Amino acid sequence: MLTKLKQMISERKTEYIEELKDFISIPSISALSGHQQDINKCAEFLINHLRQIGFENVQLIHTSGNPVVYGDWLHAPGKPTVLVYGHYDVQPADPIELWDSPPFQPEIREGLLFGRGATDNKGQCFSQLKSFEILFKTTGRLPVNVKLLIEGEEEIGSPSIASFLEHYKDRLNSDVIVISDTAMLSENQPSICYALRGLLGFQIDVKGPRVDLHSGSMYGGAVQNPIHALVQLLASMRNEKGQITIDGFYEDVVPITEEEKQSLLSLPFHEKELMERIGVTELSGEEGYTTLERVWVRPTLEINGIDGGYQGEGIKTIIPSEAHAKVTCRLVPDQDPATIEKCIRKHIERHTPKGVQVDIKFREHSHPYAISIHHPLIQLAAESYGRAYGVPACLVRAGGSIPIVEHLYRRLKYPVILMGFGSPTANAHAPNEHFSLDNFEKGILTLCDYWLNLASVLKESEESR
Ligand code: BES
Ligand code: MN
């Protein structure tokens, strides 16, 4: 069966790529309000596509934010039901001048398809859709019941997803969730992901004098400078050992087991390759941890953007009136974004320099997630990767976040299986994002294999839930 599927995928590859290009061509950027029409257009594109490949009850579901695309095929009585999740929204494309080809005019170069969203998440979402399409084509049916849920707000923290799930939880009822939105250890190394970090985003606004002041005459030296206040405050959150110095921040962090430590050490991961790729001469992070521990197992606090004062040509001697910073923390099990928020609020209260007003707004939040590597559905996924790629899969975590996972797993108690086909070299969120067409093909095959074998394992996992 697998050999036949492989051949059929290969025969249809060109057609699939053309369709994927159409999907990528729609600039469905959720962060920019000017792209609302593109968001709607992209959802419409999916609606038509799902109908075309054989899904039923295909529907655009309105939420308090961007619409969700739903479709299902439920004609496998006695077989498990899989809820497959993806997102059709993408990150902004800037800085556009750094792209070698326009972000929304997808182009293939050396086996890689370039375009915003190529990997995150349109290419991977398409691997899922094509895995069903090919099974429909070859067998006229699917080996499991399938519900598809493709949302349009993942890249802005899925603000509407909690209430959406609450409202539609009966309709979404299923045995397992499968998401293809994570990265493998390297481009050709099949990897099954068993953990995600969570996220907590906030903005700090510092306000000083009513207007910018002359930094000499009458004021310079006698007035708190909001930018200095902001950098002091930010500096108080992390020390030179890379440790976060906010009281209580590490309180609920589950330490890594010796078994997992060894497992991470055994992975084919090379720091030198990473440094060369990103153009740094040294890696840096929390003292006492390896690089993989730092990006997968340890929480972080990172300044994402900072602004204030004069940035124009030449000199302008002012004390600025205000300063701003955007910060995100990555969280790990069992940190709770709400608890961390309290710790940060307290820290800011205590450390705010005199003479300025500090306002803090918490925004995106997402819980961390981890599933046992011994879970039968994880083991089965590893086997499917192994069969499709012809080499054994390794077990990895992910440093990124997918907000819906927490709702599905922690509240609705579904096992979530992260079967991603991205590569750490894919430039997700960056200029020249791309998706390896080889992984597109192998991803489709891996998922087909998973669907075909799922029923054999699911009974067991139902009991262990
Ligand atoms: N696909 C990523 C998450 C990801 C990337 C997981 C690589 C594992 C490896 C997802 O689209 C994403 O970027 N999520 C955001 C979420 C945030 C905006 C709440 C993230 O992690 O920054
Ligand atoms: Mn993303």
Side-chain angles (χ1 to χ4, degrees):
M1 182 74 177
L2 216 56
T3 322
K4 185 174 164 212
L5 282 169
K6 191 172 174 178
Q7 191 196 330
M8 291 193 58
I9 295 167
S10 159
E11 281 164 11
R12 286 172 170 72
K13 192 176 171 181
T14 329
E15 178 194 326
Y16 289 177
I17 293 168
E18 282 313 307
E19 292 167 350
L20 175 54
K21 279 184 172 174
D22 292 341
F23 189 19
I24 296 172
S25 301
I26 310 168
S28 46
I29 305 168
S30 50
L32 305 174
S33 51
H35 284 270
Q36 194 58 49
Q37 280 202 346
D38 298 314
I39 285 279
N40 298 341
K41 193 172 152 199
C42 199
E44 276 306 323
F45 171 90
L46 282 173
I47 294 278
N48 290 330
H49 199 71
L50 297 194
R51 287 198 179 121
Q52 201 183 308
I53 63 184
F55 280 94
E56 300 172 352
N57 301 311
V58 177
Q59 198 188 339
L60 191 75
I61 306 181
H62 294 282
T63 69
S64 50
N66 296 337
V68 162
V69 173
Y70 176 86
D72 60 31
W73 188 89
L74 305 171
H75 303 293
K79 300 285 188 218
T81 301
V82 190
L83 177 65
V84 171
Y85 165 89
H87 64 91
Y88 66 82
D89 65 319
V90 300
Q91 288 267 327
D94 58 272
I96 295 210
E97 64 281 8
L98 296 184
W99 285 77
D100 295 329
S101 53
F104 299 105
Q105 290 170 33
E107 189 180 297
I108 300 171
R109 296 193 296 274
E110 293 171 26
L112 306 172
L113 177 61
F114 285 81
R116 171 54 86 232
T119 280
D120 186 5
N121 173 237
K122 289 176 172 172
Q124 295 188 78
C125 177
F126 236 57
S127 309
Q128 297 174 322
L129 300 185
K130 296 295 130 177
S131 75
F132 298 122
E133 180 178 341
I134 201 90
L135 288 169
F136 275 132
K137 281 256 163 62
T138 40
T139 62
R141 57 193 322 281
L142 299 178
V144 285
N145 299 295
V146 176
K147 298 177 179 178
L148 292 175
L149 172 65
I150 310 173
E151 74 149 312
E153 295 189 314
E154 198 274 348
E155 297 292 4
I156 51 169
S158 303
S160 315
I161 213 70
S163 57
F164 170 82
L165 290 177
E166 195 48 48
H167 203 260
Y168 289 95
K169 62 173 182 273
D170 294 336
R171 197 197 303 187
L172 299 173
N173 193 25
S174 53
D175 299 294
V176 56
I177 320 289
V178 177
I179 301 180
S180 299
D181 193 23
T182 49
M184 307 195 296
L185 190 62
S186 60
E187 175 119 1
N188 307 309
Q189 174 57 61
S191 322
I192 174 71
C193 177
Y194 60 92
L196 287 170
R197 289 196 291 190
L199 183 124
L200 179 63
F202 57 97
Q203 173 162 347
I204 307 179
D205 298 302
V206 182
K207 187 88 187 76
R210 199 167 292 123
V211 289
D212 290 356
L213 304 175
H214 193 295
S215 72
S217 149
M218 260 336 273
Y219 310 110
V223 177
Q224 175 67 274
N225 179 319
I227 301 181
H228 278 277
L230 177 63
V231 296
Q232 243 178 62
L233 189 55
L234 292 169
S236 74
M237 295 182 182
R238 213 170 85 171
N239 66 20
E240 64 287 356
K241 292 180 178 166
Q243 297 157 335
I244 295 151
T245 45
I246 294 169
D247 264 1
F249 188 85
Y250 291 107
E251 182 107 359
D252 298 320
V253 172
V254 178
I256 181 174
T257 62
E258 194 47 41
E259 183 198 4
E260 187 171 8
K261 207 174 172 59
Q262 291 312 317
S263 150
L264 297 191
L265 284 173
S266 73
L267 291 174
F269 168 73
H270 310 287
E271 289 191 352
K272 211 163 161 240
E273 252 174 53
L274 173 65
M275 292 193 281
E276 272 163 21
R277 184 167 80 234
I278 60 177
V280 301
T281 50
E282 211 173 322
L283 292 172
S284 133
E286 191 184 356
E287 204 173 273
Y289 294 92
T290 65
T291 297
L292 286 182
E293 287 170 358
R294 286 168 177 173
V295 295
W296 287 349
V297 184
R298 299 296 298 169
T300 64
L301 180 144
E302 213 73 62
I303 303 167
N304 305 122
I306 182 162
D307 83 304
Y310 182 68
Q311 305 286 345
E313 195 181 343
I315 185 178
K316 187 159 189 265
T317 48
I318 55 160
I319 296 171
S321 158
E322 51 192 84
H324 314 270
K326 287 181 193 264
V327 183
T328 49
C329 295
R330 294 283 170 179
L331 309 177
V332 300
D334 290 329
Q335 286 178 302
D336 180 345
T339 313
I340 300 300
E341 174 177 331
K342 280 189 202 129
C343 299
I344 293 169
R345 281 191 189 280
K346 227 184 223 158
H347 182 94
I348 289 183
E349 265 168 38
R350 274 195 212 141
H351 291 81
T352 293
K354 282 190 190 144
V356 286
Q357 255 184 341
V358 171
D359 183 44
I360 175 163
K361 286 189 197 77
F362 283 86
R363 295 178 187 279
E364 305 71 18
H365 56 89
S366 161
H367 277 253
Y369 168 73
I371 186 169
S372 162
I373 55 169
H374 304 297
H375 195 293
L377 289 167
I378 289 285
Q379 293 295 323
L380 181 72
E383 287 163 23
S384 292
Y385 274 100
R387 279 189 285 269
Y389 279 78
V391 284
C394 52
L395 287 150
V396 299
R397 285 186 176 230
S401 316
I402 305 175
I404 196 175
V405 171
E406 109 95 356
H407 301 286
L408 296 168
Y409 180 71
R410 224 173 53 115
R411 305 218 180 116
L412 303 177
K413 306 281 180 244
Y414 294 123
V416 178
I417 308 301
L418 301 162
M419 296 181 74
F421 304 100
S423 160
T425 57
N427 297 327
H429 296 200
N432 297 318
E433 177 177 354
H434 56 264
F435 189 40
S436 145
L437 294 175
D438 193 41
N439 281 333
F440 183 37
E441 231 175 311
K442 289 191 173 125
I444 299 171
L445 192 63
T446 306
L447 291 167
C448 284
D449 185 87
Y450 198 60
W451 313 137
L452 287 164
N453 289 291
L454 208 48
S456 65
V457 169
L458 240 133
K459 264 202 207 99
E460 261 173 79
S461 78
E462 274 281 76
E463 283 155 16
S464 67
R465 210 160 101 185

